[in-house]
mmCIF file of all heavy atoms in Angstrom:
data_model
loop_
_atom_site.group_PDB
_atom_site.id
_atom_site.type_symbol
_atom_site.label_atom_id
_atom_site.label_comp_id
_atom_site.label_asym_id
_atom_site.label_seq_id
_atom_site.Cartn_x
_atom_site.Cartn_y
_atom_site.Cartn_z
ATOM 1 N N VAL R 44 -66.524 -76.971 -160.528
ATOM 2 C CA VAL R 44 -67.134 -75.643 -160.668
ATOM 3 C C VAL R 44 -67.794 -75.573 -162.041
ATOM 4 O O VAL R 44 -67.146 -75.831 -163.056
ATOM 5 C CB VAL R 44 -66.069 -74.527 -160.553
ATOM 6 C CG1 VAL R 44 -66.729 -73.159 -160.559
ATOM 7 C CG2 VAL R 44 -65.211 -74.702 -159.298
ATOM 8 N N ASP R 159 -67.330 -49.775 -134.094
ATOM 9 C CA ASP R 159 -66.010 -49.371 -134.592
ATOM 10 C C ASP R 159 -64.895 -50.132 -133.887
ATOM 11 O O ASP R 159 -63.911 -50.554 -134.505
ATOM 12 C CB ASP R 159 -65.811 -47.864 -134.396
ATOM 13 C CG ASP R 159 -66.616 -47.078 -135.421
ATOM 14 O OD1 ASP R 159 -67.054 -47.709 -136.419
ATOM 15 O OD2 ASP R 159 -66.816 -45.873 -135.216
ATOM 16 N N VAL R 204 -71.323 -70.305 -132.145
ATOM 17 C CA VAL R 204 -70.128 -70.039 -132.949
ATOM 18 C C VAL R 204 -69.825 -71.251 -133.821
ATOM 19 O O VAL R 204 -70.002 -72.380 -133.376
ATOM 20 C CB VAL R 204 -68.912 -69.747 -132.039
ATOM 21 C CG1 VAL R 204 -67.696 -69.373 -132.873
ATOM 22 C CG2 VAL R 204 -69.228 -68.644 -131.052
ATOM 23 N N THR R 206 -66.812 -72.813 -136.688
ATOM 24 C CA THR R 206 -65.435 -72.642 -137.157
ATOM 25 C C THR R 206 -65.373 -72.960 -138.637
ATOM 26 O O THR R 206 -66.039 -73.889 -139.098
ATOM 27 C CB THR R 206 -64.502 -73.604 -136.393
ATOM 28 O OG1 THR R 206 -64.698 -73.384 -134.999
ATOM 29 C CG2 THR R 206 -63.046 -73.361 -136.737
ATOM 30 N N GLY R 330 -57.491 -64.439 -106.664
ATOM 31 C CA GLY R 330 -57.407 -65.732 -107.365
ATOM 32 C C GLY R 330 -56.571 -66.730 -106.581
ATOM 33 O O GLY R 330 -55.551 -66.372 -105.985
ATOM 34 N N ALA R 371 -65.094 -114.644 -104.209
ATOM 35 C CA ALA R 371 -66.514 -114.770 -103.857
ATOM 36 C C ALA R 371 -67.408 -114.213 -104.955
ATOM 37 O O ALA R 371 -68.578 -114.577 -105.051
ATOM 38 C CB ALA R 371 -66.773 -114.039 -102.541
ATOM 39 N N ALA R 387 -49.617 -104.319 -108.735
ATOM 40 C CA ALA R 387 -49.032 -103.536 -109.834
ATOM 41 C C ALA R 387 -49.831 -102.262 -110.049
ATOM 42 O O ALA R 387 -49.262 -101.173 -110.194
ATOM 43 C CB ALA R 387 -48.999 -104.368 -111.114
ATOM 44 N N TYR R 451 -55.787 -104.275 -124.193
ATOM 45 C CA TYR R 451 -56.316 -105.632 -124.325
ATOM 46 C C TYR R 451 -55.883 -106.236 -125.650
ATOM 47 O O TYR R 451 -55.958 -105.586 -126.685
ATOM 48 C CB TYR R 451 -57.841 -105.607 -124.241
ATOM 49 C CG TYR R 451 -58.353 -105.187 -122.891
ATOM 50 C CD1 TYR R 451 -58.944 -103.952 -122.697
ATOM 51 C CD2 TYR R 451 -58.222 -106.031 -121.794
ATOM 52 C CE1 TYR R 451 -59.411 -103.559 -121.455
ATOM 53 C CE2 TYR R 451 -58.679 -105.647 -120.542
ATOM 54 C CZ TYR R 451 -59.280 -104.420 -120.380
ATOM 55 O OH TYR R 451 -59.733 -104.043 -119.147
ATOM 56 N N ARG R 475 -42.295 -89.603 -125.803
ATOM 57 C CA ARG R 475 -41.783 -88.549 -126.700
ATOM 58 C C ARG R 475 -41.977 -89.028 -128.124
ATOM 59 O O ARG R 475 -41.622 -90.149 -128.461
ATOM 60 C CB ARG R 475 -40.288 -88.318 -126.452
ATOM 61 C CG ARG R 475 -39.997 -87.492 -125.232
ATOM 62 C CD ARG R 475 -38.525 -87.539 -124.916
ATOM 63 N NE ARG R 475 -37.731 -86.920 -125.968
ATOM 64 C CZ ARG R 475 -37.464 -85.616 -126.038
ATOM 65 N NH1 ARG R 475 -37.923 -84.814 -125.108
ATOM 66 N NH2 ARG R 475 -36.744 -85.117 -127.008
ATOM 67 N N THR R 528 -60.328 -124.792 -116.073
ATOM 68 C CA THR R 528 -61.510 -124.660 -116.934
ATOM 69 C C THR R 528 -62.749 -125.105 -116.174
ATOM 70 O O THR R 528 -63.802 -124.463 -116.230
ATOM 71 C CB THR R 528 -61.334 -125.507 -118.214
ATOM 72 O OG1 THR R 528 -60.094 -125.149 -118.809
ATOM 73 C CG2 THR R 528 -62.459 -125.266 -119.191
ATOM 74 N N ALA R 550 -62.741 -96.588 -102.830
ATOM 75 C CA ALA R 550 -62.413 -95.492 -101.904
ATOM 76 C C ALA R 550 -60.991 -95.643 -101.378
ATOM 77 O O ALA R 550 -60.255 -94.655 -101.230
ATOM 78 C CB ALA R 550 -63.413 -95.472 -100.751
ATOM 79 N N PHE R 585 -35.403 -106.979 -110.181
ATOM 80 C CA PHE R 585 -35.206 -106.611 -108.785
ATOM 81 C C PHE R 585 -35.877 -105.268 -108.508
ATOM 82 O O PHE R 585 -36.495 -105.082 -107.462
ATOM 83 C CB PHE R 585 -33.711 -106.546 -108.470
ATOM 84 C CG PHE R 585 -33.423 -106.332 -107.006
ATOM 85 C CD1 PHE R 585 -33.773 -107.300 -106.081
ATOM 86 C CD2 PHE R 585 -32.844 -105.159 -106.554
ATOM 87 C CE1 PHE R 585 -33.535 -107.101 -104.721
ATOM 88 C CE2 PHE R 585 -32.603 -104.953 -105.211
ATOM 89 C CZ PHE R 585 -32.939 -105.934 -104.290
ATOM 90 N N ALA R 675 -53.497 -125.630 -125.364
ATOM 91 C CA ALA R 675 -52.731 -125.289 -124.159
ATOM 92 C C ALA R 675 -51.423 -126.063 -124.140
ATOM 93 O O ALA R 675 -50.355 -125.508 -123.811
ATOM 94 C CB ALA R 675 -53.563 -125.590 -122.920
ATOM 95 N N LEU R 692 -38.312 -132.567 -133.875
ATOM 96 C CA LEU R 692 -37.487 -133.118 -134.950
ATOM 97 C C LEU R 692 -38.117 -132.906 -136.326
ATOM 98 O O LEU R 692 -37.469 -133.133 -137.345
ATOM 99 C CB LEU R 692 -37.266 -134.627 -134.715
ATOM 100 C CG LEU R 692 -36.560 -134.989 -133.405
ATOM 101 C CD1 LEU R 692 -36.366 -136.499 -133.307
ATOM 102 C CD2 LEU R 692 -35.205 -134.294 -133.295
ATOM 103 N N VAL R 730 -25.922 -102.053 -92.953
ATOM 104 C CA VAL R 730 -25.722 -101.834 -94.371
ATOM 105 C C VAL R 730 -25.203 -100.414 -94.559
ATOM 106 O O VAL R 730 -25.489 -99.545 -93.770
ATOM 107 C CB VAL R 730 -27.065 -101.990 -95.106
ATOM 108 C CG1 VAL R 730 -26.856 -101.883 -96.601
ATOM 109 C CG2 VAL R 730 -27.686 -103.316 -94.749
#
Side-chain angles (χ1 to χ4, degrees):
Chain R
V44 186
D159 285 344
V204 184
T206 306
Y451 294 108
R475 282 169 65 86
T528 307
F585 187 65
L692 300 182
V730 185

